[in-house]
Amino acid sequence: MKIDVLLGLQWGDEGKGKVVDVLTPRYDVITRFQGGPNAGHTLEFNGLKHILHNIPSGIFREETLNIITNGVVLDPIVFQREVEALEKMGVDITKNLVISKKAHLILPTHRILDAASEAAKGKSKIGSTLKGIGPTYMDKTGRNGLRVGDIELDFEKKYNALKEKHLHLLKIYDFSFTLEEEEKFYEGIRTMKRFRFVESEFLIHELRETGQRILAEGAQGTLLDIDFGSYPFVTSSNTICAGACTGMGVAPSAIGEVFGIFKAYCTRVGSGPFPTELLDEQGDRLRDLGSEFGSTTGRPRRCGWLDLVALKYSIMLNGVTQLIMTKTDVLDSFETIKIATAYKVNDEITDQFPYALDEKIEPVYTELPGWKTDLTGIREKVQFPDELQAYIRFLEKELKIPVKFVSVGPDREQIIEI
Ligand code: GDP
Ligand code: IMO
Ligand code: MG
């Protein structure tokens, strides 16, 4: 069986958690293949709202196996909190969650390094979630990292050596800190030991051979990709579809459908360029109506119009086969809706995502009539207002990929398959 991949086409928070939860009954296995607790994936059902950070969004369906694979960076402290919260809800996750031995661990000192590095950058800071993501991936590629598999080996010695290296590095920063969370870290490691550590590349290979259906859940979004995102205002992993291959140890030919998920508008949290950002009352309106506050940090998200230049770039990089549009209901009350179809850069029109994403970019907009209808109760395509149908047709024509799902609210039930 091929592996399907679901990933964000914008700057994260496209609604991946919700849609993975909706799609989970169609799969036997859900994997998280990159990123770490910088992610905040929200699921809503039966009046409950739950945010996952390290754990795949298939966790609420007990017949589904969830795998944290090698590409992820895992924080034992955050992990423990997540496990406790799920167990409080009566979810026994030790049965349906396994962790790759090759996933890297986030140490308390990684988080301190993240904070020190951001503080040193001052105004040009990345706007990191400060979860230690950058420093952990730096240790991974620098070949100094501590992995889940080390927990069963010479753990304390390796932990102390890496911690000492970090404390030494921290001396280059003018940054005061106290290392308070080591006890919690070890508690988190004890919680992790209740789970099966696996070589997930072999497990995934076996699952595929026995016909199990696998969905890989991306974190962050394409425009935060370390290679292709708005560098340096990006995260430290490959968030694109290719990241699913290295993040799980599967060949490119093993990938089946690529679900590209995007909001009907656009948001970004943290610093960095955002060509269609609205710094006026319309941006505030999108933030209010869409409750656009970070699931991980609570920071207000920057809001703007849908950007097809960026979306086309993301579709190209990922080989998207199906589109999923979320938060459509947030536009319910707008008279007209703008969509950027090109950029004007130094008086030249382009629809190619430029290398330098600076303020010289002027988006070129098409304006479509709004539907002025409450979509939140709609469950079938035939109930779509004409203006929404026209909006979708416009996107499909421009993007040349079908929109297969339209989400009209945060709840599991609020989605229409086309
Ligand atoms: P993720 O990181 O991609 O999983 O997305 P987040 O969970 O960080 O942010 C998406 C937010 O939008 C969450 O609060 C979701 O509950 C919510 N959400 C998802 N889909 C919809 C939708 O179609 N409409 C509305 N109004 N909210 C949605
Ligand atoms: P999900 O999976 C939105 C952003 C941060 C910052 C940059 C680098 O919920 O969509 P990092 O902590 O990785 O060093 O931050 O990336 N960022 C996200 N923005 N959603 C996310 O994840 C994000 N993960 C990181 O705000 O700008
Ligand atoms: Mg999120």
Side-chain angles (χ1 to χ4, degrees):
M1 288 291 276
K2 297 239 183 194
I3 298 175
D4 294 344
V5 181
L6 181 142
L7 36 78
L9 300 180
Q10 295 163 324
W11 277 287
D13 303 328
E14 297 91 348
K16 298 176 289 294
K18 177 207 158 142
V19 176
V20 170
D21 173 57
V22 168
L23 294 178
T24 295
R26 302 176 187 193
Y27 293 91
D28 303 298
V29 183
I30 306 292
T31 70
R32 261 287 304 272
F33 60 84
Q34 47 69 231
N38 47 351
H41 294 182
T42 315
L43 288 72
E44 283 194 40
F45 53 92
N46 304 339
L48 273 173
K49 175 174 168 171
H50 196 84
I51 301 175
L52 294 164
H53 299 287
N54 288 299
I55 295 176
S57 299
I59 201 68
F60 287 101
R61 319 259 191 179
E62 57 187 38
E63 59 289 357
T64 308
L65 176 66
N66 291 267
I67 311 178
I68 296 175
T69 68
N70 57 284
V72 170
V73 290
L74 189 60
D75 185 332
I77 299 177
V78 180
F79 180 75
Q80 169 164 3
R81 258 190 256 131
E82 284 194 85
V83 171
E84 281 170 359
L86 288 165
E87 286 183 338
K88 228 180 250 171
M89 293 168 78
V91 188
D92 177 9
I93 71 165
T94 50
K95 285 202 210 105
N96 67 339
L97 176 70
V98 298
I99 308 171
S100 167
K101 289 184 186 181
K102 295 191 172 92
H104 279 244
L105 291 169
I106 301 177
L107 273 54
T109 40
H110 279 131
R111 265 183 284 119
I112 298 171
L113 278 166
D114 210 357
S117 159
E118 282 284 80
K121 285 193 159 98
K123 272 194 179 154
S124 53
K125 70 175 181 183
I126 309 292
S128 161
T129 60
L130 302 180
K131 301 293 174 193
I133 305 297
T136 307
Y137 277 115
M138 274 166 70
D139 272 336
K140 175 179 177 174
T141 51
R143 295 152 297 175
N144 294 306
L146 193 60
R147 298 190 291 177
V148 171
D150 292 324
I151 294 174
E152 293 165 333
L153 300 170
D154 225 355
F155 187 68
E156 210 162 325
K157 194 171 151 215
K158 284 184 174 162
Y159 168 80
N160 284 322
L162 190 54
K163 177 184 83 177
E164 287 309 318
K165 178 182 159 260
H166 291 164
L167 293 175
H168 189 67
L169 264 175
L170 278 161
K171 289 188 183 142
I172 64 168
Y173 294 103
D174 178 19
F175 187 78
S176 63
F177 63 90
T178 45
L179 181 50
E180 283 166 348
E181 292 204 295
E182 281 191 292
E183 214 168 291
K184 275 200 204 156
F185 176 81
Y186 272 101
E187 238 178 82
I189 296 289
R190 281 193 291 279
T191 299
M192 284 181 63
K193 283 182 175 170
R194 290 169 45 206
F195 293 80
R196 195 153 63 93
F197 299 158
V198 296
E199 286 175 71
S200 57
E201 63 278 30
F202 287 111
L203 175 62
I204 289 171
H205 183 71
E206 279 162 30
L207 290 165
R208 287 190 59 218
E209 292 226 303
T210 55
Q212 304 279 297
R213 297 156 303 168
I214 304 175
L215 176 66
E217 171 182 3
Q220 290 78 56
T222 301
L223 304 175
L224 290 169
D225 181 88
I226 183 70
D227 282 279
F228 301 103
S230 46
Y231 193 89
F233 302 99
V234 293
T235 191
S236 299
S237 63
N238 278 118
T239 59
I240 57 168
C241 189
C245 294
T246 54
M248 296 191 287
V250 300
S253 57
I255 303 299
E257 294 296 324
V258 181
F259 298 107
I261 178 165
F262 67 99
K263 286 182 197 187
Y265 50 99
C266 207
T267 64
R268 168 161 211 173
V269 61
S271 328
F274 181 177
T276 61
E277 182 170 17
L278 290 164
L279 295 165
D280 55 11
E281 66 282 357
Q282 277 193 309
D284 295 341
R285 195 164 153 211
L286 283 172
R287 186 175 314 104
D288 288 345
L289 292 169
S291 308
E292 293 296 356
F293 295 89
S295 312
T296 297
T297 57
R299 290 178 292 178
R301 294 179 184 141
R302 300 155 62 193
C303 297
W305 295 120
L306 187 62
D307 181 343
L308 296 191
V309 180
L311 216 46
K312 280 179 187 165
Y313 184 56
S314 296
I315 288 169
M316 176 189 90
L317 293 170
N318 290 303
V320 171
T321 59
Q322 303 188 25
L323 289 166
I324 299 172
M325 180 163 74
T326 61
K327 305 202 86 157
T328 319
D329 53 298
V330 175
L331 300 179
D332 281 356
S333 62
F334 283 77
E335 285 289 340
T336 56
I337 299 164
K338 284 189 181 175
I339 302 177
T341 52
Y343 293 158
K344 195 167 161 193
V345 187
N346 299 328
D347 284 331
E348 279 194 34
I349 302 287
T350 175
D351 66 353
Q352 200 165 328
F353 202 62
Y355 175 82
L357 268 175
D358 51 27
E359 64 279 1
K360 278 181 230 122
I361 291 177
E362 244 182 83
V364 179
Y365 288 110
T366 291
E367 200 158 353
L368 297 179
W371 40 90
K372 305 276 284 167
T373 309
D374 177 4
L375 298 180
T376 56
I378 286 184
R379 297 291 176 272
E380 287 176 50
K381 191 188 167 214
V382 288
Q383 298 170 290
F384 281 178
D386 291 345
E387 295 83 353
L388 175 59
Q389 307 249 29
Y391 186 79
I392 295 170
R393 271 200 307 274
F394 180 80
L395 294 182
E396 289 183 329
K397 190 166 151 270
E398 287 283 319
L399 302 171
K400 301 184 179 73
I401 313 270
V403 175
K404 284 293 175 79
F405 291 87
V406 176
S407 175
V408 293
D411 193 90
R412 196 186 258 178
E413 303 293 326
Q414 291 175 299
I415 193 156
I416 299 102
E417 183 167 6
I418 301 180

